[in-house]
Amino acid sequence: WVTVPDCVESDKFHQYGLRDAGTQIQVMEKVKPTFLFGTVAANHVLCTALATNLACLDQARFLRDIRESMRRLAAMGSLKGGVLFTVPNVTAIGYLEKYTDPQNRPGFSGRKAFYRSSVSSADQVLDDNEITTITNFLTMLNNEVKAQATAMGFAIADAKILFDDIKENGRPIKSPSGYSPGSAKANWPLPNQPGLFGLDGVHPNMYGHAVMANELIKAINAKYGVAIPQVSEYNAWYYDELNRNPVDL
């Protein structure tokens, strides 16, 4: 958890995980890592998709949080390198699906949570104007992530571009022998259709994590002149129970 004036105590899940170790940044200040993977950004905009409203957007708080986090990370003196990644388009994740209001009520059409069969309030939908606001906020957010990576001398993995491409074109999966189960989509797996997300429509599944890992590896190799081998995305798909035996929601 992060200790801020309006959140002086961590929630029960973070308390269970971290116990008395302190906040995440305090833990890092104690162990002094030499390499950083991170973004310090996603939850500042993902909240709009999960709540289907804009109440959580706070540019001043985001800028304060990321800049203070990076200041404290730099002050540790132990970091030799790192990679920051941008945040994908949160309005295009599997959690949200297109909805057209059958009654054509203003503000009732747009993107709704996948588990809703219908919409009873405009607060349950992100309409076109709200999506534009989120898109603009996301652009600001990702520009700041890139600026912080540059200032820290870190590599940058552009997850926004990656997932935009997968949303548009899919991501081919192929075994060393040439067999392919198809191209993965930016959704959870369906019968005969591989996917990157878990059943919550937010977090990557095993295969999706392999895809993201390879993007991080490529960014690190390019920045630091190393040759970390990429993981097998085919193997990640093959051993991903959710992809091999999908649940059709």
Side-chain angles (χ1 to χ4, degrees), residues 11-55:
D11 63 59
K12 62 181 179 181
F13 301 106
H14 285 92
Q15 287 179 352
Y16 178 80
L18 293 173
R19 310 274 177 168
D20 296 323
T23 65
Q24 289 100 327
I25 195 75
Q26 288 171 340
V27 170
M28 286 190 283
E29 287 171 334
K30 292 174 184 176
V31 301
K32 296 190 180 301
T34 58
F35 199 91
L36 173 74
F37 298 82
T39 182
V40 199
N43 287 340
H44 283 273
V45 67
L46 176 62
C47 52
T48 61
L50 301 183
T52 57
N53 67 60
L54 309 182

Side-chain angles (χ1 to χ4, degrees), residues 30-201:
K30 292 174 184 176
V31 301
K32 296 190 180 301
T34 58
F35 199 91
L36 173 74
F37 298 82
T39 182
V40 199
N43 287 340
H44 283 273
V45 67
L46 176 62
C47 52
T48 61
L50 301 183
T52 57
N53 67 60
L54 309 182
C56 65
L57 291 183
D58 188 336
Q59 180 173 347
R61 178 170 180 171
F62 161 66
L63 292 174
R64 181 195 70 201
D65 286 354
I66 190 170
R67 291 171 182 175
E68 175 62 7
S69 295
M70 292 301 158
R71 183 195 69 78
R72 290 177 66 171
L73 288 168
M76 291 189 306
S78 61
L79 288 174
K80 306 301 181 183
V83 56
L84 298 187
F85 50 90
T86 60
V87 178
N89 178 6
V90 297
T91 67
I93 59 177
Y95 180 84
L96 296 175
E97 64 182 13
K98 186 176 180 180
Y99 178 77
T100 300
D101 181 46
Q103 301 177 47
N104 200 30
R105 292 168 293 180
F108 277 68
S109 294
R111 309 286 294 182
K112 69 172 182 64
F114 72 90
Y115 57 81
R116 296 189 186 279
S117 58
S118 62
V119 170
S120 59
S121 167
D123 291 337
Q124 297 172 350
V125 169
L126 291 174
D127 63 25
D128 289 344
N129 290 332
E130 290 172 319
I131 289 174
T132 296
T133 298
I134 294 168
T135 299
N136 291 338
F137 188 92
L138 183 65
T139 298
M140 177 279 302
L141 179 149
N142 281 334
N143 285 341
E144 179 68 17
V145 170
K146 294 174 185 177
Q148 291 296 328
T150 299
M152 296 283 286
F154 290 167
I156 302 170
D158 203 329
K160 169 70 165 57
I161 291 178
L162 168 67
F163 282 95
D164 282 352
D165 180 65
I166 295 173
K167 185 76 174 179
E168 182 70 22
N169 304 307
R171 186 157 178 115
I173 304 172
K174 185 175 290 188
S175 73
S177 66
Y179 166 74
S180 174
S183 293
K185 300 295 186 181
N187 209 322
W188 52 71
L190 296 171
N192 302 311
Q193 178 58 73
L196 280 84
F197 285 95
L199 294 180
D200 65 357

